[in-house]
Amino acid sequence: ASEHSRFSSYNGGEMNGTSKMMDFLEEPLPGVGTYEDFNTIDWVREKSRDRDRHREITSRSKESTWALIHSVSDAFSGWLLMLFIGLLAGSLAGLIDISAHWMTDLKEGVCLAGFWFNHEHCCWKSNTTFTDRDKCPEWKSWSQLIIGHGEGAFAYILNYLMYVIWALLFSLLAVLLVKGFAPYACGSGIPEIKTILSGFIIRGYLGKWTLIIKTITLVLAVSSGLSLGKEGPLVHVACCCGNILCHLFTKYRKNEAKRREVLSAAAAAGVSVAFGAPIGGVLFSLEEVSYYFPLKTLWRSFFAALVAAFTLRSINPFGNSRLVLFYVEFHMPWHLLELVPFILLGIFGGLWGAFFIRSNIAWCRRRKTTKLGKYPVLEVFVVTAITAILAFPNEYTRMSTSELISELFNDCGILDSSKLCEYVNDFNSTKGDDLPDRAAGPGVYTAMWQLALALIMKVFITIFTFGMKVPSGLFIPSMAVGAIAGRLLGVAMEQLAFYHHDWVIFSGWCSQGADCITPGLYAMVGAAACLGGVTRMTVSLVVIMFELTGGLEYIVPLMAAAMTSKWMADAIGREGIYDAHIRLNGYPFLEAKEEFSHKTLAMDVMRPRRNDPPLTVITQDSMTVEDVETIINETTYSGYPVVVSRESQRLVGFVLRRDLIISIENARKKQDGIVSTSIIYFTDHSPPLPPSFPSMLKLRSILDLSPFTVTDQTPMEIVVDIFRKLGLRQCLVTHNGKLLGIITKKDVLKHIAQLANQDPDSILFN
């Protein structure tokens, strides 16, 4: 009797033999609705939650002034968050840029006026002539400091040795910090960010430790002189800023889909501070990394990108990372016939991109499957030593890659002292600061063979550098390869026009001594071609290059080279470098751009297969707590279908494993009478049970009553499209309302891999 009284008092008494049960989950439990590491979020559920939250705030705003203020602040919080992201990302980018310039120059010498000045800043106040502006007395090379002079073989060897030692010190410190404190800080970060934005959970990848270590080691890696850039990792840094700042606002902290909108905007801010290209950054985020990009995210991304770019400019107004990174002002427009060499550069860029991707993936696969991967510190040491030893003798590889690209983009004027501008001048035909096409002097020929050697080095050393356990971007090295090739072709065209101006191809538009060929333009087009061949960017690439250089009138040559590069690279292999690394690492990323054209059905992909054990299900009102806990312990599935009964197999809904575990644990602690024999039910009303039975556990509130279902005869083409456009993590398969099986995102990826004759087990994560 006492047990009956306790049961009735807790459950509100009995009416006609049916218990009127209380749902202990009326208030949401901490952890319910969250996701485990290496799992995919439920986009549909997250968007539904946000709509419900927004409706509730809107309805309450009509009740009181305080509720109206809360509604306005909720709507404004997105813009405030974008402001914070732009400020933080721009500040960190400025810090990275200033530090990297100083430490890069530290390999060659130090400033006596202040050791914190880099070479350029050290010589600002010097009284040296314009042509000797880099040889001021305040700046001392290491040989001048150690032995008192900078001339002779011994001084050269000493400077050489110090250059290599500093490079090894920087790179080893970078790899040790990454290995010891934040393993996720290595690499570019863009493949993982693409995967995260598609809905995958990688805990810690965008955390505070990753941000701190990546910021520090990015400076060290760039300063070491390795063939890498800071532009890709800056996207990772900006996304870390966005993820951390999301915790300041409840609607972004508690909703994974809303957080990914913020991360898309943060990625745009990252590209903006990398290149000084706000519009290109937004287009890059839209074209390359984002999975879900609504219109409001577009405008917020542009706002964050602008704030980040102006913050960077205010912190480092005189550095290379100004609003236009490689500003150009070419003295002559391009001619229609020059589209032919521009297209040739596009073909070179596509071939280089395809070659690089295949070679780099083969090397990374070898690194993962052999003992080489167990010694990341040794690998970084060896690659840095080889890079530094080969780079120092050649002035075009010794300088930073950004300076090299700026030098190659430069259009020679009278005051230029670079070897690339050492022509046999005809001053009688000179107009203003521009020089007409002229015969190449000894300096140009020397620069040409040095650039040819630099090209060979950059082509091969970048293959082994990208993917090492240090932060490593690919944008700038790829642009450097293309810029070198473009400058070589541009000078060749310039000399061809000078010596053979009467040829048919030149006679119509290039007379003797005329100013017709601009080698710097060829370098710019080549840079775009190689970057496009590696990443397969198109529209965003052209806009980034325009914003990088300020050359609006050169968009057509850039478009011609970018499209030719993409077509050529796609003819050899469809994947860009980031997609290739996603597949290499086995991330569950479903590419939205590729078409599925195979004639298979849902029943061909669903599990269980014919010889597999039956599908693991939970019944709606006949299983005990012990039964459900046994299923949880014996399986690793992320969720379970709920059916009416094992006999009928009529589908009721779907429940997540994590929600089940948290709900049962909390019920055992907080709800009286919950034991292993307690019945779990997912219906509105509890089944009639004798008074001697223990309390029942109602978990209907954690049940998804509208899981996505398809029939067994649905074409996989439609199923794949549903997974892509809705971001599903699983889809149930039925026949006449009866549950037959389940298709997960992992099953879809394995099926696509099988049809492409790839290893389906390469999809590593659930």
Side-chain angles (χ1 to χ4, degrees), residues 539-757:
V539 177
S540 58
L541 171 61
V542 174
V543 175
I544 286 173
M545 291 302 298
F546 151 62
E547 290 185 278
L548 267 177
T549 60
L552 180 61
E553 63 271 30
Y554 304 109
I555 280 185
V556 173
L558 291 171
M559 290 174 62
M563 292 307 302
T564 306
S565 172
K566 176 176 171 55
W567 290 334
M568 176 57 67
D570 283 347
I572 300 173
R574 297 286 298 178
E575 290 181 323
I577 185 63
Y578 301 127
D579 295 327
H581 271 268
I582 286 173
R583 185 165 60 84
L584 175 70
N585 293 322
Y587 297 135
F589 181 77
L590 194 55
E591 179 58 63
K593 300 173 186 176
E594 296 180 1
E595 293 185 5
F596 185 90
S597 56
H598 301 278
K599 294 183 178 180
T600 51
L601 301 176
M603 62 185 298
D604 301 324
V605 181
M606 73 176 190
R607 289 181 296 161
R609 308 289 166 78
R610 290 184 178 179
N611 298 324
D612 291 346
L615 186 67
T616 303
V617 297
I618 296 175
T619 57
Q620 67 173 357
D621 57 7
S622 60
M623 296 182 71
T624 64
V625 170
E626 184 179 21
D627 295 334
V628 174
E629 288 178 333
T630 300
I631 289 175
I632 292 172
N633 293 330
E634 292 179 352
T635 63
T636 58
Y637 307 131
S638 59
Y640 307 93
V642 177
V643 296
V644 173
S645 65
R646 294 187 183 277
E647 294 75 24
S648 72
Q649 290 290 306
R650 297 287 176 180
L651 182 64
V652 176
F654 191 85
V655 64
L656 294 177
R657 172 196 186 92
R658 181 178 176 85
D659 291 355
L660 270 176
I661 294 173
I662 293 173
S663 300
I664 292 174
E665 287 179 352
N666 275 271
R668 282 185 178 274
K669 294 177 183 177
K670 299 180 180 179
Q671 185 175 343
D672 293 336
I674 297 298
V675 293
S676 296
T677 56
S678 298
I679 298 293
I680 294 179
Y681 73 101
F682 296 91
T683 57
D684 282 327
H685 302 286
S686 63
L689 292 175
S692 59
F693 270 63
S695 299
M696 292 185 288
L697 177 59
K698 180 181 179 182
L699 297 181
R700 185 176 177 83
S701 62
I702 66 170
L703 180 66
D704 181 4
L705 294 171
S706 56
F708 274 86
T709 60
V710 295
T711 67
D712 55 338
Q713 297 300 311
T714 304
M716 275 304 296
E717 183 179 1
I718 296 176
V719 175
V720 171
D721 214 29
I722 291 173
F723 269 87
R724 284 173 175 163
K725 293 182 177 178
L726 296 180
L728 298 185
R729 57 188 301 179
Q730 74 274 319
C731 182
L732 302 176
V733 183
T734 62
H735 179 76
N736 293 333
K738 180 181 178 182
L739 180 66
L740 292 183
I742 186 171
I743 299 175
T744 65
K745 188 176 183 180
K746 186 176 179 181
D747 295 325
V748 173
L749 289 164
K750 281 189 171 185
H751 182 61
I752 293 174
Q754 281 180 323
L755 294 175
N757 296 319

Side-chain angles (χ1 to χ4, degrees), residues 245-289:
L245 291 171
C246 275
H247 289 80
L248 299 175
F249 301 89
T250 305
K251 75 173 181 179
Y252 296 107
R253 182 176 68 248
K254 294 186 176 181
N255 193 292
E256 293 289 349
K258 295 293 290 181
R259 189 181 304 184
R260 274 151 181 77
E261 293 180 19
V262 174
L263 296 180
S264 295
V271 176
S272 177
V273 294
F275 293 110
I279 300 174
V282 175
L283 291 176
F284 175 83
S285 180
L286 176 61
E287 181 182 357
E288 285 299 312
V289 298

Side-chain angles (χ1 to χ4, degrees), residues 170-171 174 216-226 228 470-472:
F170 291 156
S171 63
I216 297 171
T217 55
L218 181 54
V219 174
L220 292 167
V222 171
S223 304
S224 69
L226 286 166
L228 50 82
V470 293
S472 53

Side-chain angles (χ1 to χ4, degrees), residues 183-388:
Y184 284 153
C186 67
S188 165
I190 292 180
E192 288 76 12
I193 288 169
K194 285 187 70 169
T195 308
I196 290 171
L197 289 179
S198 73
F200 197 56
I201 301 286
I202 307 179
R203 301 285 182 206
Y205 197 83
L206 301 177
K208 59 180 181 298
W209 268 112
T210 303
L211 174 62
I212 294 169
I213 298 302
K214 186 123 191 178
T215 301
I216 297 171
T217 55
L218 181 54
V219 174
L220 292 167
V222 171
S223 304
S224 69
L226 286 166
S227 184
L228 50 82
K230 63 180 182 295
E231 287 67 27
L234 278 175
V235 177
H236 187 187
V237 168
C239 286
C240 288
C241 296
N243 183 64
I244 293 168
L245 291 171
C246 275
H247 289 80
L248 299 175
F249 301 89
T250 305
K251 75 173 181 179
Y252 296 107
R253 182 176 68 248
K254 294 186 176 181
N255 193 292
E256 293 289 349
K258 295 293 290 181
R259 189 181 304 184
R260 274 151 181 77
E261 293 180 19
V262 174
L263 296 180
S264 295
V271 176
S272 177
V273 294
F275 293 110
I279 300 174
V282 175
L283 291 176
F284 175 83
S285 180
L286 176 61
E287 181 182 357
E288 285 299 312
V289 298
S290 295
Y291 198 84
Y292 175 70
F293 205 85
L295 184 61
K296 63 181 179 182
T297 302
L298 177 71
W299 293 111
R300 289 178 179 177
S301 299
F302 186 60
F303 176 67
L306 277 177
V307 172
F310 279 106
T311 302
L312 173 61
R313 182 181 175 89
S314 64
I315 291 175
N316 188 23
F318 302 109
N320 280 341
S321 293
R322 52 180 64 93
L323 281 186
V324 179
L325 185 59
F326 304 118
Y327 180 74
V328 296
E329 190 174 357
F330 299 135
H331 55 275
M332 280 296 289
W334 60 280
H335 193 272
L336 187 62
L337 289 175
E338 289 184 281
L339 281 178
V340 175
F342 295 155
I343 290 173
L344 289 176
L345 286 173
I347 293 172
F348 171 80
L351 292 172
W352 143 252
F355 167 75
F356 174 82
I357 291 169
R358 288 195 175 187
S359 303
N360 179 253
I361 293 300
W363 175 251
C364 290
R365 188 173 284 116
R366 180 178 177 82
R367 181 190 288 138
K368 292 177 69 173
T369 55
T370 63
K371 290 184 179 180
L372 181 65
K374 298 179 181 178
Y375 305 103
V377 178
L378 179 61
E379 182 190 13
V380 171
F381 179 88
V382 172
V383 174
T384 305
I386 293 172
T387 304

Side-chain angles (χ1 to χ4, degrees), residues 377-420:
V377 178
L378 179 61
E379 182 190 13
V380 171
F381 179 88
V382 172
V383 174
T384 305
I386 293 172
T387 304
I389 290 169
L390 294 177
F392 186 85
N394 188 337
E395 64 177 284
Y396 292 111
T397 51
R398 190 192 315 166
M399 66 175 65
S400 71
T401 314
S402 295
E403 290 178 10
L404 171 61
I405 295 172
S406 183
E407 179 98 349
L408 295 170
F409 283 8
N410 181 42
D411 185 27
C412 291
I414 294 174
L415 296 178
D416 281 300
S417 57
S418 169
K419 283 194 296 188
L420 284 170

